[in-house]
Amino acid sequence: MSASARTALLLLVAFAAALPFIPGVPPYWITVAAYIGMAAIVALGIVVLTGVAAVVSFGQAMFVGFGAYTTAILTTRHGWPPLATLPVAIGIAGLLAWGIGAITLRLKGHYLPVATIAWNISFFYLTGSLDYFRRFDGIAGIPPLSIFGISFAEVTRFYLVTLLVVVALVVVTRNLLDSRVGRSIRSLKGGALAAESFGVDTGRAKILAFVYAGVLAAISGWLYAHFQRAINPSPFNVNVSIDYLLMAVAGGVGQIGGAILGAALVTIVRDKLQDVLPWLIGAQGNYEAIVFGTVLILIFQFAPEGLWPYLRRLFGPPARARPESAGAAGLLRPARERPAPGAEILRVTNLRKAFGGLVAVNDLSFTVQAGEIVGLIGPNGAGKSTSFNLVTGVLAATGGSIAFRGEEICGRPARRVAALGIARTFQHVKLVHGMSTIENVALGHHLRGRAGALQGALRLDRAEEAQIFADARRQLERVGLLDCADTLAGELALGQQRLVEIARALALDPVLLLLDEPAAGLRHAEKTALAGLLRRVRAEGVAILLVEHDMDFVMGLTDRLVVMNFGSELAQGSPADIQRNPAVLEAYLGSAA
Ligand code: ADP
Ligand code: MG
């Protein structure tokens, strides 16, 4: 974060804390500010869930309800003190989010938001019709917040507690997103397939984001119950869920600051409209919904990323503080034991893949040994990329066998294949565009780190992160892109993005490296540099399988070639043999060659 942004943020927090003590500020404002804080906590969860993990939920008010009802029931019926119910509220919401997420998050496209609406409506009618929840009358007589004997019944005190919780959760959320687990959550937006290929369990990352958002909502609900002192199902209905989503989107769903800004904006605009409209229009009615809707449409039209990015621009670009010093060595999983040169690394036998009637890979067999570069060549559509997808577990084979260091791996999912030390790049580059270049490389370290979500959120992962970033810098230097470490990956030229993919693959510390057209889009000098790098990687004992169309590049670099045509093997041999092979010349290079 740049110095001016940090100062602005500290000033904002100081102002928020001083608000109740400024002479002339009506107590009513403090109440509104408390509501803003509670809403911001929910919106903060939506930033992680929707803005970062790209999961849209119309059911967050239900999780607010989980927190509110848990503490309402425990305090009024079982005499629990408020603070003691907080861990229970968090636990229940987290567990239910996990269960609901496990069922619901498998749904693709618009089914998922629809399912969250359904869950929320069910919750509304469940609480509204069961005696246990006192139906639509709700539960009254909830005690005010008191912590270690200090009462927070008074508005100013309650507001200050809420503010403290907001600040703490902002810090925790920022820490989480800036960690090993955070990168896996951030990869969900556009990079899930690539992340799986580096060992990330993206299904789990999604559920984690869902649980996190649910827990934050429950914390907000817990505060709400003790502020209102009485609850009923209405504030936890689906229309309130939509409000929360609107807050995050209007503020800027991609960023933490957006949650706070959106919560403030929506709460204040709603509140003011209720005051001003009847006076303006001269009639009672639900006009505020119409005006409110119009305001939001204007925001979406003119600031589709929300309003926060505009505000942030005033304070200059955010420069992230990276863990610099590498600290004690040896925290990352150690480099894999290198196989002896010449040892067989990959043996593909009669590999087959059919897409309906089209046989994309037809009984392909070949081997790759440690310390050699094997080129897989053939015209477009020959089945090269499909073969890569089969070996790396991205696609399931129709038949055949894939043995990695003697172990059958056919049928294993991509992230288990990655764990064996198989790293790849993609023909169609798959970087997370919204993440910096070095963070994209660090995604390749996923399996070498260990820090979990809690360690990340509490910043107990710094030593490991420092090592990850030190190694990521090393890999970027190897591909000649150290200067671009902090550039957003989406802003790099395509050729550079390919090199970042190679750095990310090297970050896995692979035994087998699969490169799909790595030289496409590179200039001549860059190709020469890349060839040099691949020779050095080969000399370290890594086995490389290379798909490439640039024949000068291929012939000068590879030890052996496998030529494919229409899914089948056309020939195998040394580059010199292949260049003289009449069948290859005919089918691949064209009869003119
Ligand atoms: P190459 O990488 O050698 O250019 P591919 O492996 O990408 O070739 O494609 C081989 C053939 O399989 C092509 O005819 C392509 O259209 C087809 N193909 C590839 N992926 C799919 C898919 N997911 N579904 C259907 N057909 C596919
Ligand atoms: Mg291809």
Side-chain angles (χ1 to χ4, degrees):
M1 201 182 296
S2 69
S4 69
R6 177 163 298 186
T7 314
L9 221 77
L10 287 176
L11 281 176
L12 190 71
V13 173
F15 172 74
L19 189 66
F21 309 107
I22 300 172
V25 170
Y28 173 72
W29 281 25
I30 309 304
T31 306
V32 172
Y35 279 117
I36 291 174
M38 288 184 275
I41 295 171
V42 185
L44 199 55
I46 296 176
V47 164
V48 174
L49 181 63
T50 306
V52 179
V55 175
V56 179
S57 161
F58 287 100
Q60 290 313 103
M62 171 177 71
F63 292 100
V64 180
F66 288 166
Y69 272 97
T70 302
T71 193
I73 289 168
L74 286 177
T75 51
T76 60
R77 289 182 206 159
H78 305 284
W80 285 44
L83 192 60
T85 70
L86 182 59
V88 184
I90 289 174
I92 288 181
L95 228 80
L96 286 172
W98 192 277
I100 290 172
I103 300 169
T104 311
L105 292 174
R106 287 164 208 244
L107 299 176
K108 295 241 176 332
H110 51 275
Y111 293 109
L112 174 61
V114 170
T116 57
I117 293 176
W119 285 108
N120 203 152
I121 292 175
S122 316
F123 175 74
F124 178 72
Y125 285 109
L126 197 75
T127 46
S129 46
L130 288 183
D131 276 335
Y132 185 73
F133 299 105
R134 298 277 145 80
R135 303 174 183 253
F136 286 107
D137 295 336
I139 300 171
I142 303 169
L145 200 57
S146 75
I147 299 170
F148 303 125
I150 306 165
S151 167
F152 291 87
E154 194 260 325
V155 173
T156 297
R157 285 184 176 190
F158 179 85
Y159 162 70
L160 289 175
V161 170
T162 308
L163 181 64
L164 197 70
V165 175
V166 171
V167 171
L169 290 176
V170 163
V171 172
V172 163
T173 304
R174 191 208 55 168
N175 292 352
L176 177 68
L177 290 178
D178 184 29
S179 72
R180 171 176 174 268
V181 172
R183 283 189 295 276
S184 63
I185 297 176
R186 288 157 76 195
S187 77
L188 292 172
K189 214 172 180 177
L193 178 63
E196 283 278 338
S197 296
F198 286 92
V200 175
D201 186 340
T202 54
R204 203 184 142 90
K206 229 183 205 182
I207 291 183
L208 195 72
F210 198 65
V211 168
Y212 187 72
V215 163
L216 258 52
I219 293 174
S220 172
W222 177 83
L223 283 167
Y224 179 87
H226 292 292
F227 189 50
Q228 289 286 351
R229 317 272 304 273
I231 56 167
N232 65 60
S234 348
F236 314 121
N237 200 359
V238 82
N239 57 319
V240 186
S241 287
I242 293 171
D243 254 24
Y244 287 131
L245 192 59
L246 287 178
M247 287 175 190
V249 175
V253 74
Q255 286 135 344
I256 289 173
I260 318 281
L261 182 65
L265 206 74
V266 170
T267 308
I268 292 171
V269 169
R270 258 208 195 294
D271 189 63
K272 284 292 147 214
L273 284 178
Q274 273 165 6
D275 293 350
V276 172
L277 277 185
W279 175 78
L280 263 183
I281 297 173
Q284 293 293 330
N286 269 337
Y287 297 109
E288 71 259 17
I290 301 170
V291 178
F292 183 66
T294 314
V295 170
L296 284 173
I297 289 171
L298 287 176
I299 291 179
F300 296 152
Q301 179 66 35
F302 295 105
E305 310 246 326
L307 296 173
W308 181 251
Y310 290 92
L311 209 66
R312 212 176 61 169
R313 220 165 285 164
L314 299 177
F315 301 106
R320 282 176 174 276
R322 287 268 151 247
E324 284 294 339
S325 69
L331 283 167
L332 296 190
R333 287 181 209 280
R336 283 186 188 76
E337 195 195 328
R338 293 266 165 252
E344 183 177 285
I345 298 300
L346 183 72
R347 173 173 287 274
V348 170
T349 318
N350 295 332
L351 190 62
R352 193 178 179 80
K353 177 68 187 177
F355 294 111
L358 177 92
V359 182
V361 177
N362 194 353
D363 288 341
L364 184 68
S365 301
F366 65 90
T367 62
V368 185
Q369 280 138 30
E372 84 172 337
I373 302 180
V374 174
L376 185 62
I377 62 171
N380 277 324
K384 306 181 296 291
S385 296
T386 304
S387 303
F388 268 30
N389 287 336
L390 295 174
V391 170
T392 53
V394 168
L395 286 174
T398 315
S401 131
I402 304 164
F404 177 75
R405 301 178 89 170
E407 192 182 344
E408 180 62 45
I409 60 164
C410 202
R412 281 196 205 183
R415 64 170 188 280
R416 300 222 189 288
V417 172
L420 296 169
I422 301 182
R424 67 172 296 180
T425 67
F426 294 86
Q427 180 181 353
H428 303 287
V429 179
K430 294 188 193 333
L431 295 176
V432 185
H433 282 192
M435 231 154 72
S436 70
T437 298
I438 194 161
E439 285 176 306
N440 269 283
V441 177
L443 201 57
H445 290 92
H446 185 80
L447 288 169
R448 297 178 64 193
R450 295 182 176 89
L454 207 60
Q455 280 161 296
L458 300 177
R459 274 283 193 257
L460 300 174
D461 61 345
R462 288 300 94 184
E464 180 183 292
E465 284 286 287
Q467 288 195 0
I468 287 180
F469 278 86
D471 192 66
R473 247 186 294 279
R474 214 155 30 238
Q475 304 303 350
L476 272 178
E477 193 166 23
R478 284 172 100 181
V479 300
L481 281 179
L482 191 54
D483 290 346
C484 304
D486 291 317
T487 312
L488 285 183
E491 290 172 4
L492 297 177
L494 194 61
Q496 292 176 316
Q497 294 194 16
R498 288 190 184 285
L499 294 175
V500 176
E501 283 218 333
I502 294 172
R504 179 176 65 184
L506 290 172
L508 182 105
D509 182 29
V511 174
L512 173 64
L513 183 61
L514 293 90
L515 304 172
D516 202 344
E517 305 196 12
L522 294 191
R523 286 188 287 260
H524 184 73
E526 291 171 323
K527 283 184 187 177
T528 313
L530 176 61
L533 170 65
L534 296 184
R535 281 193 190 96
R536 285 194 295 279
V537 172
R538 167 175 62 186
E540 289 168 15
V542 176
I544 301 177
L545 187 61
L546 172 78
V547 167
E548 184 50 57
H549 282 299
D550 183 328
M551 278 308 129
D552 289 338
F553 187 83
V554 169
M555 295 301 170
L557 189 61
T558 54
D559 301 295
R560 279 188 305 121
L561 287 173
V562 178
V563 190
M564 289 180 80
N565 199 16
F566 297 117
S568 303
E569 178 196 314
L570 193 63
Q572 296 202 22
S574 71
D577 289 344
I578 293 297
Q579 275 169 311
R580 285 193 300 266
N581 185 314
V584 174
L585 290 178
E586 173 66 27
Y588 181 49
L589 301 174
S591 45

Coordinates of all heavy atoms in Angstrom, one line a residue, residues 366-438:
F366 N 4.7 -43.4 -26.4 CA 6.1 -42.9 -26.5 C 6.6 -42.8 -25.0 O 5.9 -43.1 -24.1 CB 6.1 -41.5 -27.1 CG 5.3 -40.4 -26.3 CD1 6.0 -39.7 -25.3 CD2 4.0 -40.2 -26.6 CE1 5.3 -38.7 -24.6 CE2 3.3 -39.2 -25.8 CZ 3.9 -38.5 -24.9
T367 N 7.9 -42.5 -24.9 CA 8.5 -42.4 -23.6 C 9.3 -41.1 -23.5 O 9.7 -40.6 -24.5 CB 9.5 -43.5 -23.3 OG1 10.6 -43.5 -24.2 CG2 8.8 -44.9 -23.3
V368 N 9.5 -40.6 -22.3 CA 10.4 -39.5 -22.0 C 11.3 -39.8 -20.9 O 10.9 -40.4 -19.9 CB 9.6 -38.2 -21.7 CG1 10.6 -37.0 -21.6 CG2 8.5 -37.9 -22.7
Q369 N 12.6 -39.5 -21.0 CA 13.6 -39.9 -20.0 C 14.1 -38.6 -19.3 O 14.0 -37.5 -19.8 CB 14.8 -40.6 -20.6 CG 14.4 -42.1 -20.8 CD 15.0 -42.6 -22.1 OE1 16.0 -42.1 -22.6 NE2 14.2 -43.6 -22.7
A370 N 14.6 -38.8 -18.1 CA 15.2 -37.7 -17.4 C 16.3 -37.1 -18.2 O 17.1 -37.8 -18.7 CB 15.7 -38.2 -16.0
G371 N 16.4 -35.8 -18.2 CA 17.5 -35.1 -18.8 C 17.4 -35.1 -20.3 O 18.4 -35.0 -21.0
E372 N 16.2 -35.3 -20.9 CA 16.0 -35.1 -22.3 C 14.8 -34.3 -22.7 O 13.9 -34.2 -21.9 CB 16.0 -36.5 -23.0 CG 14.7 -37.2 -23.1 CD 14.6 -38.4 -23.9 OE1 15.5 -38.6 -24.8 OE2 13.7 -39.3 -23.7
I373 N 14.9 -33.7 -23.8 CA 13.8 -32.9 -24.3 C 13.2 -33.6 -25.5 O 13.9 -33.9 -26.5 CB 14.2 -31.5 -24.8 CG1 14.9 -30.7 -23.7 CG2 13.0 -30.7 -25.3 CD1 15.4 -29.3 -24.0
V374 N 12.0 -34.0 -25.4 CA 11.3 -34.7 -26.5 C 10.3 -33.8 -27.1 O 9.5 -33.1 -26.4 CB 10.5 -36.0 -26.0 CG1 9.7 -36.6 -27.1 CG2 11.5 -37.0 -25.4
G375 N 10.3 -33.6 -28.4 CA 9.4 -32.7 -29.1 C 8.2 -33.5 -29.6 O 8.3 -34.7 -30.1
L376 N 7.0 -33.0 -29.3 CA 5.8 -33.6 -29.9 C 5.3 -32.7 -30.9 O 4.9 -31.5 -30.6 CB 4.8 -33.8 -28.7 CG 3.5 -34.5 -29.0 CD1 3.7 -35.9 -29.4 CD2 2.6 -34.4 -27.7
I377 N 5.4 -33.1 -32.2 CA 5.1 -32.2 -33.3 C 4.0 -32.8 -34.2 O 3.7 -33.9 -34.1 CB 6.3 -31.7 -34.1 CG1 6.9 -33.0 -34.8 CG2 7.3 -31.0 -33.2 CD1 8.0 -32.6 -35.8
G378 N 3.4 -31.9 -35.0 CA 2.4 -32.3 -35.9 C 1.5 -31.2 -36.3 O 1.6 -30.1 -35.6
P379 N 0.8 -31.3 -37.4 CA 0.0 -30.1 -37.8 C -1.1 -29.8 -36.8 O -1.4 -30.5 -35.9 CB -0.6 -30.6 -39.1 CG -0.3 -32.0 -39.3 CD 0.7 -32.4 -38.2
N380 N -1.7 -28.6 -37.0 CA -2.8 -28.2 -36.1 C -3.9 -29.3 -36.1 O -4.3 -29.8 -37.1 CB -3.4 -26.9 -36.6 CG -2.6 -25.7 -36.0 OD1 -2.1 -25.7 -34.9 ND2 -2.5 -24.7 -36.9
G381 N -4.4 -29.6 -34.9 CA -5.5 -30.5 -34.8 C -5.0 -32.0 -34.7 O -5.8 -32.9 -34.7
A382 N -3.6 -32.1 -34.7 CA -3.1 -33.5 -34.6 C -3.4 -34.2 -33.3 O -3.3 -35.5 -33.3 CB -1.6 -33.4 -34.9
G383 N -3.6 -33.5 -32.3 CA -3.9 -34.1 -31.0 C -2.9 -33.9 -29.9 O -2.8 -34.5 -28.9
K384 N -2.0 -32.9 -30.2 CA -0.9 -32.6 -29.2 C -1.4 -32.1 -27.9 O -1.0 -32.6 -26.8 CB 0.1 -31.6 -29.9 CG 0.6 -32.1 -31.3 CD 1.6 -31.1 -31.9 CE 1.0 -29.7 -32.1 NZ 0.0 -29.7 -33.2
S385 N -2.2 -31.0 -28.0 CA -2.6 -30.4 -26.7 C -3.5 -31.4 -26.0 O -3.5 -31.5 -24.7 CB -3.4 -29.2 -27.0 OG -2.6 -28.2 -27.6
T386 N -4.3 -32.2 -26.7 CA -5.1 -33.2 -26.1 C -4.3 -34.2 -25.3 O -4.6 -34.6 -24.2 CB -6.0 -33.9 -27.1 OG1 -6.8 -32.9 -27.8 CG2 -7.0 -34.9 -26.4
S387 N -3.2 -34.6 -25.9 CA -2.2 -35.5 -25.3 C -1.7 -34.9 -24.0 O -1.6 -35.6 -22.9 CB -1.0 -35.9 -26.2 OG -1.5 -36.4 -27.4
F388 N -1.4 -33.6 -24.0 CA -0.9 -32.9 -22.8 C -2.0 -33.0 -21.7 O -1.7 -33.3 -20.6 CB -0.6 -31.5 -23.1 CG 0.8 -31.2 -23.5 CD1 1.6 -32.2 -24.1 CD2 1.4 -30.0 -23.2 CE1 2.9 -31.9 -24.4 CE2 2.7 -29.7 -23.5 CZ 3.5 -30.7 -24.1
N389 N -3.3 -32.8 -22.1 CA -4.3 -32.8 -21.2 C -4.6 -34.1 -20.6 O -5.0 -34.3 -19.4 CB -5.6 -32.2 -21.8 CG -5.6 -30.7 -22.1 OD1 -4.8 -30.0 -21.4 ND2 -6.3 -30.2 -23.0
L390 N -4.3 -35.2 -21.4 CA -4.5 -36.5 -20.8 C -3.3 -36.8 -19.8 O -3.6 -37.4 -18.7 CB -4.4 -37.5 -22.0 CG -5.5 -37.5 -23.0 CD1 -5.3 -38.4 -24.2 CD2 -6.9 -37.8 -22.3
V391 N -2.1 -36.5 -20.2 CA -1.0 -36.8 -19.3 C -1.1 -36.0 -18.0 O -0.8 -36.6 -16.9 CB 0.4 -36.4 -20.0 CG1 1.5 -36.5 -19.0 CG2 0.6 -37.4 -21.1
T392 N -1.6 -34.8 -18.0 CA -1.7 -34.0 -16.8 C -3.0 -34.1 -16.1 O -3.2 -33.5 -15.1 CB -1.5 -32.5 -17.1 OG1 -2.4 -32.1 -18.2 CG2 -0.1 -32.2 -17.6
G393 N -3.9 -35.0 -16.6 CA -5.1 -35.3 -15.8 C -6.2 -34.3 -16.0 O -7.2 -34.3 -15.3
V394 N -6.0 -33.3 -16.9 CA -7.1 -32.4 -17.2 C -8.2 -33.0 -17.9 O -9.4 -32.7 -17.7 CB -6.5 -31.2 -18.0 CG1 -7.6 -30.3 -18.6 CG2 -5.5 -30.4 -17.2
L395 N -7.9 -34.0 -18.8 CA -8.9 -34.8 -19.5 C -8.7 -36.2 -19.1 O -7.6 -36.7 -18.8 CB -8.8 -34.7 -21.0 CG -9.2 -33.4 -21.7 CD1 -8.8 -33.5 -23.2 CD2 -10.7 -33.1 -21.5
A396 N -9.9 -37.0 -19.0 CA -9.8 -38.4 -18.8 C -9.6 -39.2 -20.1 O -10.3 -38.9 -21.0 CB -11.1 -38.9 -18.0
A397 N -8.7 -40.1 -20.1 CA -8.4 -40.9 -21.3 C -9.6 -41.9 -21.6 O -10.2 -42.3 -20.7 CB -7.1 -41.6 -21.2
T398 N -9.8 -42.2 -22.9 CA -10.7 -43.2 -23.2 C -10.1 -44.6 -23.1 O -10.8 -45.6 -22.8 CB -11.2 -43.0 -24.7 OG1 -11.5 -41.6 -24.9 CG2 -12.4 -43.8 -25.0
G399 N -8.8 -44.6 -23.3 CA -8.1 -45.9 -23.1 C -6.6 -45.7 -23.1 O -6.1 -44.6 -23.3
G400 N -5.9 -46.7 -22.7 CA -4.4 -46.7 -22.7 C -3.9 -46.5 -21.3 O -4.6 -46.5 -20.3
S401 N -2.6 -46.3 -21.2 CA -1.9 -46.2 -19.9 C -0.9 -45.1 -19.9 O -0.3 -44.8 -20.9 CB -1.3 -47.6 -19.6 OG 0.0 -47.4 -19.2
I402 N -0.8 -44.4 -18.8 CA 0.2 -43.4 -18.6 C 1.0 -43.8 -17.3 O 0.4 -43.8 -16.2 CB -0.4 -42.0 -18.4 CG1 -1.3 -41.7 -19.6 CG2 0.7 -40.9 -18.2 CD1 -2.3 -40.5 -19.3
A403 N 2.3 -44.1 -17.5 CA 3.0 -44.5 -16.3 C 4.1 -43.3 -16.0 O 4.8 -43.0 -16.9 CB 3.7 -45.8 -16.5
F404 N 4.1 -42.8 -14.8 CA 5.0 -41.8 -14.4 C 6.0 -42.4 -13.4 O 5.6 -42.9 -12.3 CB 4.3 -40.6 -13.8 CG 5.2 -39.5 -13.3 CD1 5.9 -38.7 -14.2 CD2 5.5 -39.4 -12.0 CE1 6.8 -37.7 -13.8 CE2 6.3 -38.4 -11.5 CZ 7.0 -37.6 -12.4
R405 N 7.2 -42.5 -13.8 CA 8.2 -43.2 -12.9 C 7.7 -44.6 -12.5 O 7.8 -45.0 -11.3 CB 8.6 -42.3 -11.7 CG 9.1 -41.0 -12.1 CD 9.4 -40.1 -11.0 NE 10.8 -40.3 -10.5 CZ 11.4 -39.5 -9.6 NH1 10.8 -38.5 -9.1 NH2 12.6 -39.7 -9.2
G406 N 7.1 -45.3 -13.4 CA 6.7 -46.6 -13.2 C 5.3 -46.8 -12.6 O 4.8 -47.9 -12.4
E407 N 4.7 -45.6 -12.2 CA 3.4 -45.7 -11.5 C 2.3 -45.3 -12.4 O 2.4 -44.2 -13.1 CB 3.5 -44.7 -10.3 CG 2.4 -44.8 -9.3 CD 2.5 -43.7 -8.2 OE1 3.6 -43.2 -8.1 OE2 1.6 -43.5 -7.5
E408 N 1.2 -46.1 -12.5 CA 0.1 -45.7 -13.3 C -0.6 -44.5 -12.8 O -1.0 -44.5 -11.7 CB -0.9 -46.9 -13.4 CG -2.1 -46.7 -14.3 CD -1.7 -46.5 -15.8 OE1 -0.8 -47.2 -16.3 OE2 -2.3 -45.6 -16.4
I409 N -0.7 -43.5 -13.7 CA -1.4 -42.2 -13.2 C -2.6 -41.9 -14.1 O -3.3 -40.9 -13.8 CB -0.5 -41.0 -13.2 CG1 0.1 -40.8 -14.7 CG2 0.7 -41.2 -12.3 CD1 0.7 -39.4 -14.8
C410 N -3.0 -42.8 -15.0 CA -4.1 -42.5 -15.9 C -5.4 -42.5 -15.0 O -5.6 -43.4 -14.2 CB -4.2 -43.7 -16.9 SG -5.2 -43.2 -18.3
G411 N -6.2 -41.5 -15.1 CA -7.4 -41.4 -14.4 C -7.3 -40.5 -13.1 O -8.3 -40.2 -12.5
R412 N -6.0 -40.1 -12.8 CA -5.9 -39.2 -11.6 C -6.3 -37.8 -11.9 O -6.0 -37.3 -13.0 CB -4.4 -39.2 -11.1 CG -4.1 -40.4 -10.4 CD -2.9 -40.2 -9.6 NE -2.3 -41.6 -9.4 CZ -1.2 -41.8 -8.7 NH1 -0.5 -40.8 -8.2 NH2 -0.8 -43.0 -8.5
P413 N -6.9 -37.1 -11.0 CA -7.2 -35.7 -11.3 C -6.0 -34.8 -11.4 O -4.9 -35.2 -10.8 CB -8.1 -35.3 -10.1 CG -7.8 -36.2 -9.0 CD -7.4 -37.5 -9.7
A414 N -6.1 -33.7 -12.0 CA -4.9 -32.8 -12.4 C -4.1 -32.5 -11.1 O -2.9 -32.5 -11.2 CB -5.4 -31.6 -13.0
R415 N -4.8 -32.2 -10.0 CA -4.0 -31.7 -8.9 C -3.2 -32.8 -8.2 O -2.2 -32.6 -7.6 CB -4.9 -31.0 -7.8 CG -5.9 -31.8 -7.2 CD -6.6 -31.1 -6.0 NE -7.4 -32.0 -5.3 CZ -8.6 -32.3 -5.6 NH1 -9.2 -31.8 -6.7 NH2 -9.4 -33.1 -4.9
R416 N -3.6 -34.1 -8.4 CA -2.8 -35.2 -7.9 C -1.6 -35.5 -8.8 O -0.6 -35.9 -8.4 CB -3.7 -36.5 -7.8 CG -4.8 -36.3 -6.8 CD -5.0 -37.5 -5.9 NE -6.2 -37.4 -5.2 CZ -6.4 -36.6 -4.2 NH1 -5.5 -35.8 -3.8 NH2 -7.6 -36.6 -3.5
V417 N -1.9 -35.2 -10.1 CA -0.8 -35.4 -11.1 C 0.3 -34.3 -10.8 O 1.5 -34.6 -10.8 CB -1.3 -35.3 -12.5 CG1 -0.2 -35.2 -13.5 CG2 -2.3 -36.4 -12.8
A418 N -0.2 -33.1 -10.5 CA 0.8 -32.1 -10.2 C 1.7 -32.4 -9.0 O 2.9 -32.1 -8.9 CB 0.0 -30.8 -9.9
A419 N 1.0 -33.1 -8.0 CA 1.8 -33.4 -6.8 C 2.9 -34.4 -7.0 O 3.8 -34.5 -6.2 CB 0.8 -34.0 -5.8
L420 N 2.9 -35.1 -8.1 CA 4.0 -36.0 -8.5 C 5.2 -35.3 -9.0 O 6.3 -35.9 -9.2 CB 3.5 -37.0 -9.5 CG 2.4 -38.0 -9.1 CD1 1.8 -38.7 -10.3 CD2 2.9 -38.9 -8.0
G421 N 5.0 -34.0 -9.4 CA 6.1 -33.3 -10.0 C 6.0 -33.1 -11.5 O 7.0 -33.0 -12.2
I422 N 4.7 -33.0 -11.9 CA 4.5 -32.8 -13.4 C 3.9 -31.4 -13.5 O 2.8 -31.1 -12.9 CB 3.5 -33.8 -13.9 CG1 4.1 -35.2 -13.7 CG2 3.2 -33.5 -15.4 CD1 3.2 -36.3 -14.3
A423 N 4.6 -30.5 -14.2 CA 4.2 -29.1 -14.4 C 4.0 -28.9 -15.8 O 4.6 -29.5 -16.7 CB 5.2 -28.2 -13.8
R424 N 3.1 -27.9 -16.1 CA 2.8 -27.7 -17.6 C 2.6 -26.2 -17.8 O 2.4 -25.4 -16.9 CB 1.6 -28.4 -18.0 CG 0.3 -27.9 -17.3 CD -0.9 -28.5 -17.8 NE -1.1 -28.2 -19.2 CZ -2.1 -28.6 -20.0 NH1 -3.0 -29.4 -19.4 NH2 -2.2 -28.2 -21.2
T425 N 2.6 -25.8 -19.1 CA 2.1 -24.6 -19.5 C 0.9 -24.8 -20.5 O 0.7 -26.0 -20.9 CB 3.2 -23.7 -20.3 OG1 3.5 -24.4 -21.5 CG2 4.4 -23.6 -19.4
F426 N 0.2 -23.8 -20.8 CA -1.0 -24.0 -21.7 C -0.8 -23.3 -23.0 O -0.3 -22.2 -23.1 CB -2.2 -23.4 -21.0 CG -2.6 -24.2 -19.7 CD1 -2.0 -23.9 -18.5 CD2 -3.5 -25.2 -19.7 CE1 -2.3 -24.5 -17.3 CE2 -3.8 -25.9 -18.6 CZ -3.2 -25.6 -17.4
Q427 N -1.4 -24.0 -24.0 CA -1.3 -23.3 -25.4 C -2.0 -22.0 -25.3 O -1.5 -21.0 -25.8 CB -1.9 -24.3 -26.4 CG -1.9 -23.7 -27.8 CD -2.5 -24.6 -28.8 OE1 -2.9 -25.7 -28.6 NE2 -2.7 -24.1 -30.0
H428 N -3.2 -22.0 -24.7 CA -4.0 -20.8 -24.5 C -3.7 -20.3 -23.1 O -4.2 -21.0 -22.1 CB -5.5 -21.0 -24.8 CG -5.8 -21.5 -26.1 ND1 -5.6 -20.7 -27.2 CD2 -6.1 -22.7 -26.6 CE1 -5.9 -21.4 -28.3 NE2 -6.2 -22.6 -27.9
V429 N -2.8 -19.3 -23.0 CA -2.3 -18.9 -21.7 C -3.3 -18.8 -20.6 O -4.4 -18.2 -20.8 CB -1.5 -17.6 -21.8 CG1 -0.9 -17.2 -20.5 CG2 -0.4 -17.8 -22.8
K430 N -3.1 -19.3 -19.4 CA -4.1 -19.3 -18.4 C -3.4 -18.7 -17.1 O -3.1 -19.4 -16.2 CB -4.6 -20.7 -18.1 CG -5.4 -21.3 -19.2 CD -6.1 -22.5 -18.8 CE -6.6 -23.3 -20.0 NZ -7.0 -22.6 -21.2
L431 N -3.3 -17.4 -17.1 CA -2.8 -16.7 -15.9 C -4.0 -16.0 -15.2 O -5.0 -15.8 -15.9 CB -1.8 -15.6 -16.2 CG -0.5 -16.2 -16.8 CD1 0.4 -15.0 -17.2 CD2 0.3 -17.1 -15.9
V432 N -3.9 -15.7 -13.9 CA -5.0 -15.0 -13.3 C -4.7 -13.5 -13.5 O -3.7 -12.9 -13.0 CB -5.0 -15.3 -11.8 CG1 -6.1 -14.6 -11.1 CG2 -5.0 -16.8 -11.5
H433 N -5.5 -12.9 -14.4 CA -5.2 -11.5 -14.9 C -5.1 -10.5 -13.8 O -4.4 -9.5 -13.9 CB -6.2 -11.1 -16.0 CG -5.8 -11.8 -17.3 ND1 -6.4 -11.4 -18.5 CD2 -5.0 -12.8 -17.6 CE1 -5.9 -12.2 -19.4 NE2 -5.1 -13.0 -18.9
G434 N -6.0 -10.6 -12.8 CA -6.1 -9.6 -11.8 C -5.0 -9.8 -10.7 O -4.9 -9.0 -9.7
M435 N -4.1 -10.7 -10.9 CA -3.0 -11.0 -9.9 C -1.7 -10.5 -10.5 O -1.5 -10.6 -11.7 CB -3.0 -12.5 -9.5 CG -3.0 -12.8 -8.1 SD -3.7 -14.4 -7.7 CE -2.4 -15.5 -8.3
S436 N -0.8 -10.1 -9.6 CA 0.5 -9.6 -10.2 C 1.3 -10.8 -10.8 O 0.9 -12.0 -10.5 CB 1.3 -9.0 -9.1 OG 1.7 -9.9 -8.2
T437 N 2.2 -10.5 -11.6 CA 3.0 -11.5 -12.2 C 3.7 -12.4 -11.2 O 3.6 -13.7 -11.3 CB 4.1 -10.8 -13.1 OG1 3.5 -10.0 -14.1 CG2 5.0 -11.8 -13.7
I438 N 4.3 -11.9 -10.2 CA 5.0 -12.7 -9.2 C 4.0 -13.6 -8.4 O 4.3 -14.7 -8.0 CB 5.9 -11.8 -8.2 CG1 6.8 -12.8 -7.5 CG2 5.1 -11.0 -7.3 CD1 8.0 -12.1 -6.9

